[in-house]
């Protein structure tokens, strides 16, 4: 069978996506591969297809047990004999899995990195030929990445210990060059074919909002999207608890996840989410790696994450099925202070020298600045992300809040000049400088204790922008920081400083205009080109959805493993009547067609009789 035949037969896809073909061909030719692809781009096809085309068994090294369980379930549904070997198996299950593996019954085995050094594995690799090794989430090998796992450092040793070295494919969604270099070096890849597919996820709609009341915004949003699945990320456990409670008390089916819950509850809640019993997940960033749920329609960020890598990874958990999905970040100026503070107090990496630690801190700060830049930009949000990852783009995407939003341009010359002037006066009067809060309080004429203690009420600019209000003034100062007129110093007590550009603008009395959102709610953009069933087909779609749910319950797998939303929408659109026509549905391979075709065909026939 050719690679393309395998793709069609087992996975039900007509053609390879960009990058997949190259990766598959390289691995088949025995070359190593380094694949950098965003979440949802289809990394698994890159190694699963060659695994089925080469003799022997493929080992997939993967960091998370939940991920393996899901991937193996999906493979078995597609008719591929597969198994996983990790600490969640009982000794009995482990023996069975190893025995079957030794007999060559599996084509793909998922292994936890910790298991590689065990005697069992050493015996197994003497008994069966290894067709290829795939390292999923390969950035875990790098200390510069966000999810360093020491056990990944043992992978290279394991590969060297094999009787014969198979081709190795390493895959990640993390793009920075430093992490990429680490992967090649630490996994000892041999002159790998480096593939980097576009980072763009066209079906995701991005937006940044600055609501007065974040909780009210989330509740309203979740209500308007009832029946859909979503993830809401919060910075702290406490806010997870509070927000989840608020949603539940309004009858919204939310569950929660953070590191403070015991293993049992975490597993239960995660399952409730994955199986759509509680389709709304409120979580800290402890949640998500290895969650492969394809029908997540929105990801909200209650707080700003610490860098764009994390943001894009978390937001990218929306819309993996290719359907239109929304990623909305709820920003507040206070988030910036909190994020800086958390970086300072961040856990120390024992494995690094003090100099390296300092370098990591400085890099973290730079990353944070880019994140803040995203929150404050008035340009295209997608362009901001793609520029950050070094990818060319048209600069306007037409599918983000800033491209479709209702913006007004406002003359802010007076408040901007007043703010610059205030910072200049403060620099003369208070050598050490003052922080953002002190400046805004003074300009707004606040009578709080600190303002009076500092004697700010005797400064000429005291109360000069009283009518503007704190929030608007912070937005103006944010605009000036973004434009390089003002900057905040590093350190525990950041103060505002005038930059050279700011000094110049003040001296010449430059005019400033700011583009700002007219309304608070995200505009409802036109539906994107993703496959969406026609309105009339809504009934059919919901009948198909129920059929899928019944099948999922029978097979004891999550619904999206039977088939994803894109496949259901395609079914509703094509309305197949024969098994051959059914096979043409996007995402349906031969195995699934044989197994579930009749159920879905019956639903369609029934529907057409009725209407
Ligand atoms: P990643 O691991 O890169 O996040 P996955 O391997 O989970 O992505 O694939 C994401 C989605 O894309 C899955 O729903 C999968 O069925 C789909 N997909 C992968 N390859 C193709 C293809 N060639 N054509 C159509 N859909 C595909
Ligand atoms: Zn845009």
């Amino acid at each position: 069978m050719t690679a393309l035949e395998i793709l069609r037969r087992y996975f039900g896809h007509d053609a390879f996506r960009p990058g997949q073909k190259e990766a598959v061909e390289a691995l088949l030719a025995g070359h190593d591969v380094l694949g950098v692809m965003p979440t949802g781009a289809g990394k698994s096809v890159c190694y699963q297809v060659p695994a089925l085309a080469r003799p022997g068994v493929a080992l997939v090294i993967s960091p998370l047990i939940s991920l393996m369980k899901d991937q193996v379930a999906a493979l078995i549904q597609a008719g591929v004999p597969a198994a996983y070997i990790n600490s969640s198996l009982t000794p009995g299950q482990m023996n069975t899995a190893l025995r079957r593996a030794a007999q060559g019954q599996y084509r793909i085995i998922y292994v936890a990195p910790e298991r590689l050094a065990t005697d069992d594995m050493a015996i197994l690799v003497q008994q069966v030929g290894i067709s290829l090794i795939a390292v999923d989430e390969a950035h875990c090998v790098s200390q510069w990445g966000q999810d360093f796992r020491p056990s990944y450092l043992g992978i290279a040793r394991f590969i060297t210990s094999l009787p014969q070295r198979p081709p190795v494919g390493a895959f990640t969604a993390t793009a920075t060059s430093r992490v990429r270099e680490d992967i090649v070096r630490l996994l000892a890849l041999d002159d790998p074919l480096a593939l980097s597919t576009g980072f763009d996820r066209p079906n995701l709609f991005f937006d940044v909002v600055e609501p007065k009341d974040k909780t009210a915004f989330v509740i309203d949003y979740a209500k308007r999207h009832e029946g859909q699945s979503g993830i809401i990320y919060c910075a702290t456990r406490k806010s997870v608890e509070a927000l989840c409670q608020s949603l539940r008390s309004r009858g919204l089916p939310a569950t929660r996840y953070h590191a403070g819950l015991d293993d049992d509850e975490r597993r239960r809640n995660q399952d409730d989410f994955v199986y759509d019993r509680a389709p709304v997940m409120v979580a800290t960033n402890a949640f998500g790696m290895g969650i492969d749920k394809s029908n997540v329609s929105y990801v909200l960020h209650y707080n700003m994450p610490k860098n764009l890598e994390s943001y894009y990874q978390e937001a990218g958990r929306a819309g993996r099925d290719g359907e239109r999905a929304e990623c909305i970040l709820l920003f507040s100026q206070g988030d910036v202070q909190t994020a800086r503070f958390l970086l300072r107090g961040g856990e120390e990496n024992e494995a690094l020298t003090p100099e390296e630690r300092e370098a990591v801190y400085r890099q973290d700060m730079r990353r944070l600045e880019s994140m803040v830049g995203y929150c404050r930009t008035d340009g295209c949000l997608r362009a901001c992300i793609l520029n950050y990852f070094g990818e060319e783009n048209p600069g306007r995407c037409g599918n983000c809040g800033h491209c479709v939003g209702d913006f007004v341009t406002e003359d802010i010359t007076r408040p901007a000049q007043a703010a610059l002037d205030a910072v200049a006066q403060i620099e003369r009067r208070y050598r050490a400088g003052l922080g953002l809060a002190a400046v805004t309080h003074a300009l707004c004429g606040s009578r709080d204790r600190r303002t009076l203690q500092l004697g700010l009420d005797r400064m000429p600019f005291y109360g000069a922008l009283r009518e503007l209000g704190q929030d608007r003034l912070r937005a103006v100062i944010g605009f000036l920081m973004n434009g390089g007129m003002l900057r905040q110093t590093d350190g525990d007590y950041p103060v505002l400083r005038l930059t050279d550009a700011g000094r110049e603008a003040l001296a010449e009395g430059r005019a400033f205009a700011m583009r700002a959102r007219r309304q608070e709610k995200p505009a409802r953009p036109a539906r994107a080109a993703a496959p969406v069933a026609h309105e009339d087909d809504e009934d059919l779609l919901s009948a198909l959805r129920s059929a899928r749910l019944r099948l999922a319950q029978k097979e004891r797998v999550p619904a999206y493993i039977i088939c994803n939303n894109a496949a259901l929408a395609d079914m509703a659109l094509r309305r197949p009547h024969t098994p051959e026509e059914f096979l043409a549905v996007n995402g349906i391979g031969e195995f699934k067609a044989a197994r579930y075709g009749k159920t879905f065909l019956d639903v369609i026939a029934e529907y057409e009789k009725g209407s």
Side-chain angles (χ1 to χ4, degrees):
M1 243 191 296
T2 65
L4 190 59
E5 279 164 1
I6 291 173
L7 181 74
R8 292 186 174 149
R9 177 145 175 199
Y10 288 96
F11 302 99
H13 304 314
D14 285 338
F16 284 111
R17 284 189 182 157
Q20 287 179 335
K21 185 161 176 283
E22 293 80 354
V24 168
E25 282 173 357
L27 287 170
L28 283 179
H31 294 304
D32 287 0
V33 168
L34 171 63
V36 181
M37 300 162 115
T39 312
K43 286 185 278 297
S44 20
V45 158
C46 295
Y47 52 83
Q48 288 174 350
V49 168
L52 293 172
R54 283 175 74 95
V57 58
L59 295 183
V60 183
I61 300 163
S62 173
L64 275 185
I65 291 174
S66 58
L67 182 83
M68 295 187 204
K69 202 175 124 193
D70 243 39
Q71 293 258 11
V72 168
L75 281 171
I76 291 173
Q77 286 299 315
V80 178
Y84 55 83
I85 295 182
N86 62 38
S87 60
S88 76
L89 299 179
T90 63
Q93 290 172 325
M94 181 77 82
N95 283 334
T96 311
L98 287 165
R99 194 183 63 246
R100 291 192 179 148
Q103 292 165 350
Q105 290 195 22
Y106 302 123
R107 303 305 313 278
I108 300 180
I109 300 179
Y110 280 74
V111 200
E114 295 79 24
R115 314 280 336 164
L116 295 175
T118 59
D119 292 343
D120 288 340
M121 281 306 287
I123 296 169
L124 181 64
V125 300
Q126 298 296 331
Q127 292 169 318
V128 290
I130 305 297
S131 57
L132 67 91
I133 291 183
V135 184
D136 206 4
E137 314 282 358
H139 59 275
C140 291
V141 79
S142 169
Q143 301 191 349
W144 298 101
Q146 304 135 54
D147 313 295
F148 174 56
R149 280 169 192 257
S151 56
Y152 262 57
L153 293 171
I155 295 176
R157 204 174 322 122
F158 170 76
I159 294 174
T160 325
S161 77
L162 295 174
Q164 210 178 3
R165 188 186 186 280
V168 180
F171 297 90
T172 179
T174 305
T176 58
S177 55
R178 185 159 226 161
V179 172
R180 232 180 308 197
E181 284 159 23
D182 267 8
I183 293 173
V184 173
R185 187 168 54 85
L186 297 169
L187 293 179
L189 298 184
D190 179 12
D191 187 23
L193 170 71
L195 284 171
S196 178
T197 64
F199 259 66
D200 191 16
R201 300 275 310 277
N203 62 318
L204 299 186
F205 173 85
F206 289 96
D207 206 358
V208 176
V209 295
E210 210 174 328
K212 277 219 156 52
D213 181 343
K214 289 185 178 186
T215 304
F217 179 94
V218 171
I219 289 168
D220 176 57
Y221 187 94
K223 270 198 191 138
R224 282 189 289 119
H225 292 78
E226 252 195 291
Q228 296 184 350
S229 183
I231 305 174
I232 303 158
Y233 280 109
C234 301
T236 63
R237 297 174 191 184
K238 232 169 84 187
S239 37
V240 167
E241 296 290 335
L243 188 59
C244 184
Q245 189 49 42
S246 304
L247 288 167
R248 277 193 199 152
S249 68
R250 283 163 183 82
L252 290 157
T255 184
R256 58 187 181 168
Y257 191 104
H258 58 68
L261 302 173
D262 62 49
D263 288 355
D264 250 13
E265 179 172 357
R266 278 213 304 266
R267 198 168 320 123
R268 221 172 32 242
N269 294 354
Q270 177 172 322
D271 276 357
D272 283 347
F273 173 67
V274 166
Y275 287 83
D276 286 323
R277 291 187 291 264
V280 178
M281 173 58 90
V282 187
T284 60
N285 62 4
F287 177 77
M289 191 167 158
I291 300 298
D292 223 347
K293 193 176 198 293
S294 67
N295 63 340
V296 175
S297 300
Y298 60 87
V299 172
L300 306 184
H301 276 76
Y302 196 80
N303 304 96
M304 180 186 71
K306 62 182 194 291
N307 54 46
L308 269 169
E309 282 92 346
S310 309
Y311 180 63
Y312 203 49
Q313 190 175 48
E314 286 157 16
R317 297 192 172 117
R320 294 178 71 146
D321 52 10
E323 296 277 304
R324 192 198 136 74
E326 298 193 334
C327 309
I328 301 179
L329 196 158
L330 279 59
F331 180 65
S332 70
Q333 302 292 336
D335 286 351
V336 184
Q337 285 300 69
T338 313
R340 278 165 167 266
F341 178 76
L342 289 175
L343 276 190
R344 200 19 120 186
E347 60 197 87
E348 309 244 293
N349 189 336
E350 301 280 307
L352 298 182
T353 65
E355 294 76 46
E356 285 174 325
R357 241 175 261 165
E358 188 53 34
V360 169
Y361 174 71
R362 275 201 306 273
Q363 169 169 296
D364 286 349
M365 268 324 218
R366 274 198 303 278
R367 286 181 172 168
L368 176 61
E369 289 313 318
S370 303
M371 184 74 244
V372 175
Y374 175 81
C375 295
R376 288 188 178 144
T377 183
D378 61 358
C380 169
L381 293 167
R382 190 181 311 274
C384 182
I385 294 171
L386 294 178
N387 288 338
Y388 181 74
F389 289 117
E391 192 165 309
E392 296 213 1
N393 65 84
R396 270 190 82 72
C397 72
N399 190 30
C400 77
H402 289 187
C403 282
V404 303
D406 188 8
F407 276 83
V408 282
T409 303
E410 199 185 345
D411 181 4
I412 54 157
T413 306
R414 198 181 85 79
Q417 284 291 342
L420 292 175
D421 181 48
V423 176
Q425 291 191 41
I426 285 170
E427 285 190 339
R428 284 195 293 273
R429 169 88 163 66
Y430 306 81
R431 289 268 141 196
L434 292 177
L436 177 65
V439 176
T440 58
H441 285 164
L443 277 165
C444 288
S446 162
R447 300 208 60 81
D448 66 301
R449 216 171 66 199
R450 195 168 133 74
T451 303
L452 301 180
Q453 257 171 6
L454 285 166
L456 282 164
D457 55 333
R458 292 189 301 275
M459 296 296 280
F461 55 80
Y462 178 78
L465 297 176
R466 188 174 273 126
E467 77 294 347
L468 198 63
Q470 293 280 341
D471 289 344
R472 298 276 302 123
L473 176 56
R474 275 172 184 262
V476 169
I477 292 184
F479 171 87
L480 290 170
M481 285 199 268
N482 228 20
M485 302 291 137
L486 292 174
R487 69 179 178 86
Q488 250 177 327
T489 57
D490 291 343
D492 293 342
Y493 300 101
V495 300
L496 272 185
R497 293 276 181 216
L498 212 54
T499 63
D500 290 344
R503 223 172 290 285
E504 214 173 282
L506 180 62
E508 69 187 30
R510 188 177 308 163
F512 288 99
M514 180 168 75
R515 250 158 62 83
R517 240 334 167 7
R518 195 194 298 273
Q519 83 249 46
E520 221 179 46
K521 277 180 197 157
R524 301 269 91 211
R527 290 245 143 197
V532 182
H534 196 262
E535 295 272 318
D536 303 346
D537 294 336
E538 230 3 273
D539 291 345
L540 173 57
L541 200 56
S542 94
L544 290 168
R545 215 176 280 132
S546 324
R548 176 175 68 175
L549 194 62
R550 285 197 304 278
L551 288 170
Q553 280 161 352
K554 209 172 92 203
E555 304 269 336
R556 294 170 186 275
V557 294
Y560 65 85
I561 293 221
I562 300 291
C563 68
N564 62 26
N565 287 349
L568 277 195
D570 201 35
M571 257 180 241
L573 212 59
R574 287 174 191 257
R575 297 200 186 173
H577 298 108
T578 65
E580 292 72 46
E581 286 173 11
F582 189 71
L583 203 50
V585 171
N586 184 8
I588 299 293
E590 281 180 19
F591 194 80
K592 282 190 183 171
R595 197 141 162 183
Y596 308 127
K598 186 162 172 355
T599 307
F600 288 118
L601 287 173
D602 285 351
V603 169
I604 293 168
E606 194 63 30
Y607 174 80
E608 293 192 327
K609 218 162 47 189
S611 64

